[in-house]
Amino acid sequence: MIKTFGLTHIALAVKSAKRAFEFYQQVFGVEKVYDKGSFIQAQTPGTRDVLVFDETAKRIGKRGGIEHFGFRLKRPEDIDVAAELVRKAGGKILDKGDFCPGEPYLYCADPDGYVVEIWYELPTSVDPRHSRR
């Protein structure tokens, strides 16, 4: 087994790298770390998570085996704030509820139609005790 920092990035085929970046910046606070115009790489502050927005990639907004990807909230009470940020940033709420008591979720579509899950999960036995990043 190799040691990694886990799943750290996803690259999305998008119509507008700038528009896609702005959506994720407004909702999740990602910061631009590389910008070639039609190709923007952004990183979630304080993590190694990277989102790539690529205008030259094929299959813009089409699910090619990826059902959705998600961002795990630190606090369950932030779910309503997340929903409002999604709406203000040009996204669409697809579903919102609770997986079980104490675990709220929402599914939304970003401006290119990718499905993003935002949820809170109660701590599990395999969660890190502290960040190793």
Side-chain angles (χ1 to χ4, degrees):
M1 176 181 86
I2 60 169
K3 293 188 178 195
T4 72
F5 286 103
L7 178 63
T8 57
H9 84 271
I10 186 167
L12 300 175
V14 297
K15 294 175 189 168
S16 166
K18 181 180 184 293
R19 184 191 66 190
F21 168 75
E22 289 171 352
F23 175 83
Y24 288 90
Q25 180 186 44
Q26 290 175 36
V27 178
F28 301 107
V30 300
E31 296 177 10
K32 195 180 297 182
V33 293
Y34 181 79
D35 186 345
K36 193 176 176 183
S38 64
F39 180 95
I40 295 174
Q41 182 173 314
Q43 192 166 336
T44 308
T47 73
R48 297 182 190 275
D49 300 336
V50 172
L51 284 168
V52 174
F53 310 110
D54 187 354
E55 292 176 16
T56 66
K58 296 179 176 23
R59 298 184 54 81
I60 294 169
K62 303 222 186 302
R63 294 181 185 176
I66 297 173
E67 170 60 28
H68 68 271
F69 55 97
F71 290 82
R72 185 174 175 181
L73 292 170
K74 290 187 176 183
R75 303 174 340 146
E77 58 269 22
D78 289 339
I79 198 74
D80 291 327
V81 173
E84 185 59 27
L85 289 170
V86 165
R87 286 186 197 99
K88 285 182 179 178
K92 179 181 176 186
I93 304 298
L94 303 174
D95 189 20
K96 185 173 181 282
D98 293 287
F99 288 123
C100 64
E103 294 191 358
Y105 71 88
L106 71 82
Y107 288 93
C108 66
D110 76 4
D112 285 293
Y114 291 104
V115 177
V116 181
E117 178 184 11
I118 303 172
W119 89 104
Y120 176 79
E121 184 173 13
L122 294 168
T124 70
S125 62
V126 296
D127 281 346
R129 294 186 195 276
H130 53 70
S131 177
R132 295 183 190 139
R133 297 173 186 217

